[in-house]
Amino acid sequence: MKRFKFDTWGYHICIHGFGCWGDLDAALSLFKEMKEQSSVSGSSSIGPDICTFNSLIHVLCLVGRAKDALIVWDELKASGHEPDNSTYRILIQGCCKSYRMDDAMRIFGEMQYNGFVPDTILYNSLLDGTLKARKVTEACQLFENMVQEGVRASCWTYNILIDGLFRNGRAEAGFTLFCYLKKKGQFVDAITFSIVVLQLCREGKLEGAVKLVEEMETRGFSVDLVTISSLLIGFHKQGRWDWKEKLMKHVREGNLVPNVLRWNAGVEASLKRPQSKDKDYTPMFPSKGSFLDIMSMVGSEEDVARAEEVTPIEDDPWSSSPYMDHLAEQSNRPKPLFALARGQRVEAKPDSFDIDMMNTFLSIYLSKGDLSLACKLFEIFNEMGVTDLTSYTYNSMMSSFVKKGYFKTARGVVDQMGENFCEADIATYNVIIQGLGKMGRADLASTVLDRLTKQGGYLDIVMYNTLINAVGKANRLDEATQLFDHMKSNGINPDVVSYNTMIEVNSKAGKLKEAYKYLRMMLDANCLPNHVTDTILDYLGKEMEKSRFKKASFVRNKPNNDSSSSPS
DNA sequence: ATAGGGTTAG
């Protein structure tokens, strides 16, 4: 087929466009064509420049292949291209989003060394990545550097910091920072309030949360659906549905709350109709036979084989990046499991019946354990012909089914997700792994990890914790330990959930010394224990007591035996 | 170009 040929500018625009769209294949095939054109025409007027490579590096990062992007980057530098500000920004943000903070910081250093001046947004990305990797100390250091270098902090900066402090077990510091900023009347916006409201809800301090929402209104910030969602879910978790009216009184501005409540009433009315109950305990994935079934979701065997197979790279001394050429030549690239971006979020449209409201109520029914209500809600949406549900919807549904052991239903949700071309995100996979663990298929869980790392994908802290829990509960302690170390060496610090899980699975397996080791490690790492730690330590304490008693009676019965290996 | 709701431990 003959087609109009682009000039450099045309190729450039298209590669950039496809890249922003996340279409790696389209971008790469245009890149290939561009190279062919430049060699055929022999003219130097067509050829990839640094901007082309920026676009390609960008799309590689977007589809979750930061590893590949880094290889291209190394080759590019060696080939004598001059990276510009965009190259650095694209790479650093790609690394931050996939929690490769070591790479991000290394490139950040190079950038400064080469005389580029980082701006507020770049610092914000670095701060966010550092805090999501649970590295509080490093984040504080980074913030100090930012201030010292005279880079102005913005609202975003403080929102990232406050949220990060909350998530890193430094709630007090988060509140202090919030109050300080509020007093100064600076750097506080609607998102700041929303972050703090969510934290109060998490801590069960609903009274304070509602007060804050009221204050938010008085200060002229509009209370959006995200904030209302946090509150409603909080109310429901504590069985305080009567607080809806309170909310109504507090949030006068706009008609969001009345809309939400009216919508709720409407849904609850339709829910009164009889519903189909198709629950069973069939495994989400057939436990007999091959792994093919799950693997078809996680990428086919051939994909992985292809990814592992090393195609010889033709030696082209003029190529800026042989690796990029190699990627462009690959006919069937393995499909990445999930892209960098999380599942899409729908904008809140207060005047319409929209998916966000559906999601809010879905969360509420699910958090209450009202699976049948949630199912019915799902049915209603199907009847209405709404097909563009977000992965948020599917993830919530699936998670609840998995928790209750309704694996077949969960499988149905996954299937429907595929039919509707709804992209799975990292949370989807977290839920799938949780399901595998609950089904006693921890072996499959580690296969998923293998596949993910081989395809150059990334894991977040929730996925590590989910995996550790799955293999730990299956008594595969070695694998749990391996995962724990894998997480650390990949630049993500274990958090309170990781430590609690390690302490728990080791105690349950009778490895009391090991359990104690993780407790020490947790305290040494400055990770503050929480109420869950208390419960687990209670159990550990009793077990240690028992073992001491056993040992003592053993010594009593055999006084000649020297017990030099008593635990501290 | 950067931040907040869903997914992890008892």
Side-chain angles (χ1 to χ4, degrees):
Chain A
M1 190 184 94
K2 272 194 181 169
R3 171 163 75 55
F4 167 78
K5 297 290 180 197
F6 294 122
D7 59 4
T8 300
W9 185 237
Y11 277 116
H12 186 79
I13 300 235
C14 291
I15 292 176
H16 180 79
F18 281 126
C20 291
W21 197 253
D23 193 338
L24 178 65
D25 287 340
L28 280 179
S29 70
L30 274 174
F31 171 71
K32 190 178 155 192
E33 191 185 307
M34 186 181 195
K35 288 211 102 169
E36 282 163 4
Q37 275 295 101
S38 68
S39 65
V40 166
S41 66
S43 70
S44 54
S45 62
I46 290 181
D49 59 359
I50 186 69
C51 293
T52 318
F53 280 103
N54 284 350
S55 300
L56 290 166
I57 291 175
H58 184 211
V59 66
L60 279 172
C61 289
L62 271 185
V63 301
R65 299 180 60 162
K67 224 181 195 168
D68 293 324
L70 286 167
I71 298 177
V72 173
W73 156 253
D74 281 336
E75 289 183 342
L76 203 59
K77 275 191 298 183
S79 79
H81 275 88
E82 289 295 331
D84 61 12
N85 226 330
S86 302
T87 326
Y88 284 112
R89 180 176 51 78
I90 290 166
L91 259 170
I92 292 174
Q93 288 179 343
C95 291
C96 288
K97 278 261 191 275
S98 50
Y99 315 106
R100 295 175 174 272
M101 292 318 294
D102 292 344
D103 291 318
M105 290 311 291
R106 196 193 68 225
I107 297 165
F108 182 63
E110 262 175 61
M111 174 185 177
Q112 288 183 301
Y113 179 81
N114 287 325
F116 291 97
V117 182
D119 62 358
T120 306
I121 294 178
L122 195 59
Y123 263 109
N124 288 349
S125 303
L126 284 163
L127 278 171
D128 188 53
T130 312
L131 286 162
K132 293 219 163 93
R134 301 289 187 261
K135 296 175 173 237
V136 218
T137 322
E138 286 88 336
C140 294
Q141 185 61 53
L142 196 61
F143 181 65
E144 256 172 50
N145 292 352
M146 181 178 176
V147 173
Q148 265 171 14
E149 282 161 29
V151 180
R152 283 179 41 183
S154 66
C155 247
W156 295 68
T157 318
Y158 288 108
N159 288 342
I160 290 166
L161 281 176
I162 294 172
D163 181 67
L165 289 168
F166 286 154
R167 287 180 202 274
N168 280 275
R170 299 292 192 282
E172 276 314 310
F175 285 122
T176 309
L177 180 55
F178 172 65
C179 292
Y180 171 76
L181 293 174
K182 202 168 56 147
K183 210 184 248 170
K184 280 192 21 183
Q186 259 183 316
F187 304 122
V188 173
D189 65 2
I191 305 278
T192 327
F193 275 94
S194 184
I195 291 168
V196 180
V197 166
L198 173 68
Q199 176 65 17
L200 288 170
C201 289
R202 272 196 289 245
E203 293 181 2
K205 296 174 179 160
L206 298 185
E207 202 106 32
V210 173
K211 261 204 186 122
L212 204 58
V213 168
E214 198 184 13
E215 190 187 330
M216 193 173 166
E217 274 245 298
T218 351
R219 288 179 183 248
F221 296 117
S222 72
V223 181
D224 67 358
L225 194 64
V226 175
T227 319
I228 307 240
S229 290
S230 307
L231 280 166
L232 290 180
I233 293 169
F235 293 167
H236 244 273
K237 275 189 179 149
Q238 301 220 345
R240 300 304 305 267
W241 207 212
D242 52 307
W243 279 46
K244 281 192 293 190
E245 281 69 34
K246 231 176 198 170
L247 191 60
M248 189 84 130
K249 272 190 216 137
H250 284 291
V251 187
R252 276 174 296 256
E253 192 60 37
N255 48 2
L256 187 55
V257 175
N259 259 331
V260 171
L261 296 183
R262 200 170 345 109
W263 194 87
N264 179 31
V267 169
E268 276 175 5
S270 359
L271 292 178
K272 297 244 162 67
R273 286 180 292 164
Q275 57 213 25
S276 60
K277 284 181 185 163
D278 56 343
K279 296 163 191 159
D280 67 75
Y281 291 88
T282 336
M284 175 154 44
F285 314 106
S287 42
K288 272 192 286 185
S290 69
F291 297 156
L292 278 176
D293 208 35
I294 161 129
M295 290 324 165
S296 68
M297 290 168 54
V298 181
S300 68
E301 295 284 347
E302 302 88 72
D303 280 349
V304 174
R306 257 197 308 276
E308 282 167 20
E309 153 190 316
V310 183
T311 331
I313 299 174
E314 257 181 66
D315 205 29
D316 174 4
W318 299 107
S319 179
S320 309
S321 168
Y323 190 73
M324 184 59 91
D325 298 343
H326 161 69
L327 286 177
E329 286 301 329
Q330 260 182 342
S331 50
N332 266 312
R333 270 175 294 279
K335 204 179 167 303
L337 292 187
F338 43 80
L340 261 196
R342 300 292 301 274
Q344 64 166 118
R345 289 185 174 178
V346 180
E347 285 297 314
K349 284 173 238 141
D351 294 326
S352 68
F353 175 87
D354 76 357
I355 295 168
D356 253 354
M357 285 201 195
M358 149 87 172
N359 283 337
T360 301
F361 280 93
L362 201 54
S363 310
I364 288 167
Y365 297 142
L366 294 175
S367 72
K368 232 177 113 190
D370 261 336
L371 282 198
S372 51
L373 278 186
C375 287
K376 190 66 198 176
L377 197 55
F378 211 54
E379 268 176 44
I380 291 174
F381 256 76
N382 280 328
E383 282 165 20
M384 289 171 56
V386 179
T387 50
D388 55 343
L389 297 177
T390 59
S391 66
Y392 179 114
T393 317
Y394 291 109
N395 291 346
S396 317
M397 292 293 294
M398 214 164 44
S399 159
S400 297
F401 291 135
V402 164
K403 275 189 187 129
K404 297 261 170 176
Y406 301 145
F407 296 120
K408 189 177 174 188
T409 319
R411 179 64 203 251
V413 175
V414 179
D415 286 342
Q416 194 185 342
M417 199 169 170
E419 281 164 24
N420 291 338
F421 305 107
C422 178
E423 286 213 32
D425 61 14
I426 192 163
T428 315
Y429 285 92
N430 288 341
V431 176
I432 290 173
I433 292 169
Q434 197 196 0
L436 289 170
K438 289 234 155 56
M439 286 163 49
R441 299 303 307 270
D443 52 327
L444 286 183
S446 15
T447 315
V448 172
L449 170 73
D450 257 21
R451 191 144 296 193
L452 259 177
T453 36
K454 277 195 187 120
Q455 289 188 10
Y458 66 102
L459 297 106
D460 68 357
I461 186 138
V462 179
M463 186 168 287
Y464 275 114
N465 288 342
T466 311
L467 279 167
I468 290 175
N469 182 51
V471 297
K473 291 278 157 67
N475 255 322
R476 296 164 167 259
L477 283 193
D478 289 346
E479 276 171 63
T481 315
Q482 224 178 310
L483 274 163
F484 187 86
D485 296 338
H486 191 274
M487 163 161 78
K488 283 208 281 191
S489 58
N490 276 280
I492 295 183
N493 279 350
D495 67 358
V496 64
V497 179
S498 334
Y499 285 113
N500 284 348
T501 311
M502 288 308 281
I503 296 171
E504 204 230 334
V505 296
N506 276 295
S507 315
K508 289 260 157 80
K511 300 201 164 189
L512 305 187
K513 271 191 174 175
E514 279 291 297
Y516 184 75
K517 192 186 94 187
Y518 281 102
L519 174 64
R520 284 304 309 255
M521 213 189 282
M522 176 180 185
L523 299 175
D524 290 344
N526 248 322
C527 178
L528 303 179
N530 61 12
H531 61 287
V532 181
T533 323
D534 277 348
T535 322
I536 297 169
L537 288 185
D538 225 45
Y539 179 85
L540 176 63
K542 276 179 197 151
E543 289 299 302
M544 280 183 142
E545 197 66 37
K546 262 196 260 171
S547 95
R548 242 197 303 272
F549 177 74
K550 251 194 261 165
K551 205 153 256 170
S553 60
F554 179 76
V555 172
R556 258 200 312 278
N557 294 340
K558 292 190 168 185
N560 291 338
N561 201 318
D562 179 29
S563 66
S564 53
S565 61
S566 63
S568 52

